[in-house]
Amino acid sequence: MKYERSEISSPLSPPTSKSPLAFIFAALALFVATSWLLVWTASAQDRAFDWGRADVGPLAPGINRAHVQSETPRRLNINCVRVDTATKGISFYTTPRAKKWTSDKEETIRQTTRDFVRAAHEARRNMVAAINADAFSPWPAPWDQATPTNLRGLAISKGRIVSQPSGTPSLLVRNDGRLEMTITDGNTDVHGVLVAVSGFGYCIENGVPVASDDVKHPRTGYGLSEDRRFLFLMTIDGRRHASLGCTIAEAGEWLRHFGAYTGINMDGGGSTTLVRWDPKTKSAELLNQPVGNGQTWHDKDPALEQQNYRPTERANGNNFGVIVANR
């Protein structure tokens, strides 16, 4: 799926004839083409994404990845992994407690998403894909170092509380495999929750994107379909000419486009990272193009970015992975 202006450039070509009739037809063609462009620009994200497309890549049974390069509402590089939770053998895992765990002091050890996947495979967990999760503190901190950190909201790993809830929305995975998204606080009953990760706030509720300011950043979004069968893990790159970032509301619109009914705006910016495991090369590979070092290319020459940009991966406070049973 790539929305390119060049796809409709031919109707805008100038007429070769100078007759009045030719100019009338040319003007009509210009009007139709321009109107079509406006409709396409306004409705591109409203059209439900077709997960049956030939270019949608399967990562494993029940797990598919879509890659979209969009020109509307601006240049964006978008990746989304859809997980069919009805598929037998799929489970989830998130960053465990630090060895010297102390609540609100040393909850986890920061780790890049690729290292999170590598560690999973070293522990014989067949992790197919992983994405960054909640925000962490203190920050700023050395962006690429494994330092102790605290998480912003609820986190549960293998049934153990890693971080206490703080009134933010969380993705909960229960022991029976059911998923839900809900605000979690001190009154939330987490009995029977196997895995939990949290974000800043909702970006889509009841199928409606949440209004936001117009600040544009790289974004990480988690979404659930209305029947809670499908989980969507999405990244939108930013801070580069090649992908300009989006607002929270736009992240909600894109999650809805992929099929989400409810969605959470997770930690973004330089933390935004999506990774897959390549079983052929036995390596963790970046699916998106993160700016983990916090560098912004917007104020630089695009040619300089094209020549010098290299993805940099941040050590995040916690990550979230999708595991399939070994076959």
Side-chain angles (χ1 to χ4, degrees):
M1 172 179 284
K2 189 172 182 179
Y3 309 125
E4 298 283 358
R5 290 179 183 269
S6 61
E7 292 176 355
I8 60 168
S9 60
S10 56
L12 304 184
S13 303
T16 55
S17 170
K18 294 185 179 181
S19 69
L21 188 59
F23 278 110
I24 291 173
F25 279 116
L28 181 61
L30 178 62
F31 172 77
V32 171
T34 305
S35 300
W36 187 89
L37 174 61
L38 292 174
V39 171
W40 180 264
T41 300
S43 62
Q45 291 154 268
D46 291 332
R47 303 178 183 185
F49 183 79
D50 179 11
W51 284 95
R53 290 163 50 116
D55 59 348
V56 171
L59 301 182
I63 306 171
N64 295 292
R65 175 244 183 161
H67 181 211
V68 174
Q69 290 178 291
S70 176
E71 296 292 333
T72 50
R74 69 194 64 82
R75 190 176 298 112
L76 294 172
N77 183 52
I78 305 164
N79 282 278
C80 187
V81 171
R82 187 185 74 165
V83 182
D84 183 351
T85 64
T87 304
K88 186 177 180 180
I90 288 179
S91 61
F92 303 96
Y93 181 70
T94 189
T95 306
R97 287 181 172 186
K99 289 183 178 179
K100 298 180 180 180
W101 178 86
T102 304
S103 182
D104 292 327
K105 185 177 181 180
E106 187 172 327
E107 296 179 335
T108 67
I109 301 299
R110 293 171 54 216
Q111 189 178 37
T112 68
T113 310
R114 281 193 291 180
D115 280 347
F116 173 69
V117 174
R118 292 172 185 133
H121 281 268
E122 289 174 2
R124 299 188 181 279
R125 295 187 181 96
N126 189 22
M127 189 173 289
V128 173
I131 191 169
N132 69 291
D134 203 0
F136 53 91
S137 63
W139 185 262
W143 63 272
D144 58 350
Q145 295 182 22
T147 58
T149 194
N150 296 327
L151 304 179
R152 185 173 183 269
L154 176 67
I156 298 176
S157 182
K158 296 181 69 175
R160 300 181 72 192
I161 292 182
V162 177
S163 178
Q164 296 290 337
S166 61
T168 58
S170 305
L171 169 67
L172 307 180
V173 182
R174 300 196 175 273
N175 288 331
D176 59 6
R178 290 181 296 119
L179 274 65
E180 65 177 288
M181 287 181 172
T182 186
I183 298 291
T184 55
D185 56 25
N187 296 317
T188 302
D189 181 8
V190 296
H191 177 74
V193 175
L194 184 65
V195 175
V197 289
S198 303
F200 286 113
Y202 287 116
C203 58
I204 177 173
E205 290 187 274
N206 299 320
V208 179
V210 174
S212 72
D213 57 30
D214 61 355
V215 178
K216 301 170 185 65
H217 288 296
R219 303 285 180 185
T220 297
Y222 291 16
L224 270 182
S225 59
E226 187 172 5
D227 60 5
R228 302 182 185 181
R229 173 177 172 176
F230 294 101
L231 173 66
F232 303 90
L233 306 173
M234 180 188 74
T235 59
I236 300 179
D237 291 339
R239 297 179 182 169
R240 297 177 54 215
H241 296 92
S243 187
L244 297 167
C246 72
T247 68
I248 295 171
E250 289 168 346
E253 290 171 3
W254 281 105
L255 277 174
R256 179 177 65 181
H257 173 67
F258 288 116
Y261 186 74
T262 306
I264 302 174
N265 175 45
M266 308 296 285
D267 188 20
S271 299
T272 291
T273 314
L274 183 62
V275 172
R276 69 177 286 260
W277 178 260
D278 186 338
K280 294 181 179 178
T281 62
K282 297 187 182 303
S283 62
E285 297 183 348
L286 290 171
L287 289 177
N288 74 315
Q289 299 287 302
V291 285
N293 61 2
Q295 187 170 11
T296 298
W297 292 84
H298 290 165
D299 56 352
K300 298 179 176 62
D301 189 315
L304 191 65
E305 175 192 313
Q306 188 173 16
Q307 180 180 357
N308 296 310
Y309 167 76
R310 297 293 183 275
T312 52
E313 193 178 353
R314 178 173 294 173
N316 294 310
N318 71 332
N319 294 287
F320 177 83
V322 186
I323 294 172
V324 298
N326 288 309
R327 297 178 182 276

